Amino acid sequence: MVDSPLCPIDVDVYKRLLLDIAQQRSVERILSLIVERLAEQPETALARIWLAQPGDICADCRMRDVCPDQSLCLHLVASAGRSRDSTVQWSRLDGEFRRFPLGVRKVGQIASTAAPIEVPDIDKEPHWMARPDWARREGIRAFGGQPLVYQSEVLGVLAVFTRACLGEDNLTWLRMIADPLAVA
């Protein structure tokens, strides 16, 4: 384990995850494996993956009013985490943020710009949170999101919400996970 006083990171967890990704035989299993392993990290509250796919629930989407193009959006395809409320299930794929229009909010912005976003202290940048009350209740301190890019095309977004800081080493490891995921 590499440990800085501000941002602990267990490098072995990331190394094992990368090795295990190579052993999977289906994209669905890779998606699940990644969010499950990231969510096992003590500092991770929620890990999610959205993939760019044709719009499908536009008529009922809560973000329809801000959607610039209903032909393509981000679909939540994998989710894992640990809520402080034991009755809340974060592996569901049909919740409030199951779709993001490209360019909308932080997840949509990652997809539209192909650039990662780190929010190291959510309290200092509350405009990034769609539900600041949820973040306070869950003790969320930081957010990190990486685009899933293959041959210059953004295929989706890998994101984590953490209860501890999310330092540069963590973001580097997320990038190292996002790249083989995009290839898969």
Side-chain angles (χ1 to χ4, degrees), residues 79-162:
S79 180
R82 293 175 323 280
S83 173
R84 288 183 168 173
D85 179 349
S86 62
T87 65
V88 176
Q89 178 58 256
W90 282 353
S91 61
R92 294 181 43 212
L93 303 178
D94 61 349
E96 186 175 353
F97 296 102
R98 68 185 177 266
R99 300 289 184 273
F100 273 102
L102 300 181
V104 176
R105 311 246 7 123
K106 61 188 166 301
V107 173
Q109 182 176 340
I110 293 167
S112 68
T113 63
I117 290 179
E118 175 191 8
V119 183
D121 186 346
I122 286 173
D123 288 339
K124 292 181 181 174
E125 300 185 60
H127 66 279
W128 280 113
M129 292 305 299
R131 292 178 42 211
D133 57 323
W134 169 81
R136 277 190 299 280
R137 191 172 56 250
E138 291 291 344
I140 305 298
R141 287 189 51 202
F143 168 86
Q146 290 284 345
L148 306 176
V149 181
Y150 179 69
Q151 296 184 345
S152 302
E153 181 182 351
V154 177
L155 304 178
V157 174
L158 167 63
V160 294
F161 293 87
T162 64

Side-chain angles (χ1 to χ4, degrees), residues 35-50:
V35 296
E36 288 164 8
R37 290 282 182 82
L38 290 175
E40 289 173 2
Q41 294 291 299
E43 71 277 1
T44 302
L46 179 61
R48 288 189 155 174
I49 298 170
W50 290 266

